[in-house]
């Protein structure tokens, strides 16, 4: 798939295009020990984030019921359909809270996490199902050549390990629209985020005073597991 064409589309088409790109390459084959695990354990508690489109987010269906949506939900549904494992979902507002519950054994896996997220070092990751490009999203008024001492916006509960400047002032926001709005209005100078989410929310909102600058460092998008997980669950997923 030509990703440059994907990013010309509206947010709904971005999600659809990502889903097709991943599912076209999905195959399933289990070993005997993995089959034993599936037969012995049917209930899996899965954590997901409510505001990380196009990967993980919530929407209401036609009946008004809130649903887990996005690429990560498609991956989870595909695993369920091919394993007969039953996934019970728990929603989270931020990665920190979700990882704390994973480590405490309250959930069995997280539906998606970037390999460059600082919390990824504290858990085990599945094989990645998508490689992400990262970008600097900067205010048009910010000087990209002199970022020392500038303000950097980030999402609450996140721990990004991609550093593009020396000492900066960190300011947290609860959602991507709040973060992008702050950069757009020059309340913060810049943020570092993945290209997919940046394009999704830029197309969903009205942000005319920002610039995207590509970075060479990539991220991998994976499922996440606690360090003491039965490794058969990792291989199954």
């Amino acid at each position: 798939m030509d990703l440059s064409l994907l990013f010309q589309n509206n947010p709904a088409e971005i999600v659809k295009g990502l889903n097709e790109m991943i599912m076209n390459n999905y195959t399933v084959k289990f070993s005997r020990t993995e089959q034993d695990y599936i037969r012995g354990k049917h209930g899996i508690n899965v954590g997901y984030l409510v505001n990380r489109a196009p990967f993980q987010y919530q929407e209401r269906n036609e009946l008004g019921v809130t649903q887990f949506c996005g690429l990560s939900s498609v991956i989870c549904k595909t695993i369920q359909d091919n394993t007969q494992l039953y996934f019970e979902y728990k929603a989270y507002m931020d990665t920190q809270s979700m990882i704390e519950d994973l480590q405490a054994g309250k959930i069995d896996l997280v539906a998606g996490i970037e390999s460059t997220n600082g919390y990824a070092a504290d858990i085990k990751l599945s094989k990645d199902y998508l490689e992400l490009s990262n970008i600097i999203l900067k205010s048009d008024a910010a000087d990209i050549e002199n970022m020392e001492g500038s303000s950097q916006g980030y999402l609450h509960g996140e721990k990004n390990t991609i550093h593009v400047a020396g000492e900066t002032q960190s300011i947290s926001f609860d959602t991507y629209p709040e973060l992008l709005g702050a950069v757009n209005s020059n309340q913060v100078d810049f943020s570092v985020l993945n290209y997919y989410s940046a394009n999704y929310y830029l197309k969903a909102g009205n942000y005319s005073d920002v610039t995207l600058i590509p970075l060479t460092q990539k991220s991998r998008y994976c499922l996440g597991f606690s360090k003491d997980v039965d490794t058969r669950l990792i291989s199954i997923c």
Side-chain angles (χ1 to χ4, degrees), residues 123-191:
I123 63 176
K124 291 184 177 180
L125 302 178
S126 70
K127 179 180 177 181
D128 57 291
Y129 51 86
L130 187 65
E131 183 180 77
L132 308 179
S133 296
N134 294 292
I135 57 101
I136 297 173
L137 178 78
K138 82 170 199 70
S139 165
D140 285 346
D143 181 5
I144 192 64
E145 301 298 331
N146 184 24
M147 299 177 70
E148 187 77 22
S150 58
S151 56
Q152 178 175 357
Y154 67 97
L155 291 174
H156 174 74
E158 295 294 332
K159 200 160 55 171
N160 199 320
T161 60
I162 301 176
H163 302 292
V164 297
E167 292 295 325
T168 60
Q169 176 190 1
S170 297
I171 303 174
S172 69
F173 298 89
D174 289 332
T175 66
Y176 271 124
E178 291 176 6
L179 171 58
L180 270 61
V183 177
N184 186 69
S185 61
N186 201 31
Q187 296 177 47
V188 295
D189 294 315
F190 75 98
S191 183

Side-chain angles (χ1 to χ4, degrees), residues 5-219:
L5 294 177
L6 175 60
F7 289 124
Q8 294 173 14
N9 296 329
N10 62 39
E13 288 299 314
I14 290 174
V15 176
K16 180 181 177 182
L18 285 172
N19 290 347
E20 291 176 353
M21 182 171 63
I22 299 301
M23 291 300 99
N24 285 342
N25 297 316
Y26 189 87
T27 57
V28 180
K29 186 176 181 180
F30 300 117
S31 68
R32 179 169 295 180
T33 57
E34 290 167 346
Q35 293 173 19
D36 290 341
Y37 179 90
I38 292 169
R39 283 192 291 268
K41 185 177 178 68
H42 297 289
I44 303 293
N45 296 310
V46 180
Y48 74 95
L49 298 168
V50 302
N51 50 13
R52 300 294 192 275
F55 306 106
Q56 310 173 60
Y57 60 100
Q58 285 183 333
E59 278 188 351
R60 293 186 184 276
N61 62 18
E62 62 277 5
L63 299 177
V65 178
T66 300
Q67 292 185 320
F68 172 30
C69 300
L71 175 62
S72 296
S73 72
V74 175
I75 295 293
C76 289
K77 184 178 186 304
T78 302
I79 294 170
Q80 288 188 89
D81 291 345
N82 286 277
T83 63
Q84 298 181 353
L85 290 171
Y86 174 73
F87 283 7
E88 185 74 28
Y89 296 103
K90 182 176 181 180
Y92 291 87
M93 291 297 296
D94 64 86
T95 300
Q96 180 179 354
S97 300
M98 184 170 65
I99 296 300
E100 287 174 352
D101 273 8
L102 179 68
Q103 293 172 325
K106 296 180 180 179
I107 55 176
D108 298 302
L109 65 91
V110 298
I113 187 169
E114 294 179 40
S115 61
T116 50
N117 190 310
Y119 292 107
D122 301 326
I123 63 176
K124 291 184 177 180
L125 302 178
S126 70
K127 179 180 177 181
D128 57 291
Y129 51 86
L130 187 65
E131 183 180 77
L132 308 179
S133 296
N134 294 292
I135 57 101
I136 297 173
L137 178 78
K138 82 170 199 70
S139 165
D140 285 346
D143 181 5
I144 192 64
E145 301 298 331
N146 184 24
M147 299 177 70
E148 187 77 22
S150 58
S151 56
Q152 178 175 357
Y154 67 97
L155 291 174
H156 174 74
E158 295 294 332
K159 200 160 55 171
N160 199 320
T161 60
I162 301 176
H163 302 292
V164 297
E167 292 295 325
T168 60
Q169 176 190 1
S170 297
I171 303 174
S172 69
F173 298 89
D174 289 332
T175 66
Y176 271 124
E178 291 176 6
L179 171 58
L180 270 61
V183 177
N184 186 69
S185 61
N186 201 31
Q187 296 177 47
V188 295
D189 294 315
F190 75 98
S191 183
V192 175
L193 61 160
N194 75 75
Y195 198 21
Y196 292 98
S197 293
N199 273 274
Y200 181 95
Y201 287 102
L202 285 172
K203 291 184 181 300
N206 181 25
Y207 309 103
S208 58
D209 298 318
V210 298
T211 300
L212 277 64
I213 302 172
L215 295 170
T216 57
Q217 185 171 352
K218 305 285 188 179
S219 301

